[in-house]
Amino acid sequence: MTTSLSRSSWIAAILVWAIVAAVYIHAGFQPDHGRPRLFDGIEPPYPIRAVSVLCVVSAIEIAMVCAMVRPWRSHRRWRRLLLTTVLMLAWSVYWVLIAMHQPPAQGAHLLWLLALDACLLIAMFADVAACLFKRLYRWRAARRTAV
């Protein structure tokens, strides 16, 4: 059974995927400066296969991040965020290593992964700060009642 918070999390994930797909479609129209120029004046075809594969890969990445983080559950969320961040950073390192002389759509995917890593790090730090603040508040309240 889904709660309204989990449903809204998945709706936000779908919206993020739509934005990422639009970025890939736009990047497909950009000139590929890494390709050799065999025929001057002839426009290269649109990379529909690369764009569609990257859209599917991004959908899988977003679904995995949502399933691993489970933002609708607050119990030990920072641990799930830490694990997800480490795994996504490892996946980003792979994309960084193959990024040289790649088409613009794959460069957009690399930028998407780096933005996702930054968002995961910020979310983890914010969750840790919120947990520490809540614990400090409880400790201070308990100390006041004890005195």
Side-chain angles (χ1 to χ4, degrees), residues 10-29:
W10 286 108
I11 290 172
I14 291 170
L15 289 175
V16 167
W17 177 80
I19 291 169
V20 170
V23 168
Y24 293 154
I25 291 168
H26 175 70
F29 287 109

Side-chain angles (χ1 to χ4, degrees), residues 55-134:
C55 286
V56 169
V57 167
S58 292
I60 292 170
E61 290 167 351
I62 292 171
M64 285 178 54
V65 166
C66 279
M68 287 169 51
V69 172
R70 292 180 285 175
W72 53 90
R73 294 192 61 207
S74 63
H75 183 65
R76 295 184 185 152
R77 185 182 311 150
W78 69 271
R79 291 181 185 173
R80 292 190 307 266
L81 279 167
L82 178 64
L83 176 67
T84 306
T85 303
V86 168
L87 291 174
M88 290 308 293
L89 279 172
W91 183 242
S92 299
V93 166
Y94 168 74
W95 279 92
V96 165
L97 292 176
I98 65 168
M100 186 178 269
H101 302 297
Q102 293 299 319
Q106 288 184 350
H109 184 256
L110 175 63
L111 293 176
W112 147 248
L113 283 176
L114 294 176
L116 179 64
D117 293 336
C119 289
L120 284 171
L121 280 171
I122 290 169
M124 185 179 60
F125 290 142
D127 192 56
V128 167
C131 288
L132 288 175
F133 182 74
K134 188 189 314 182

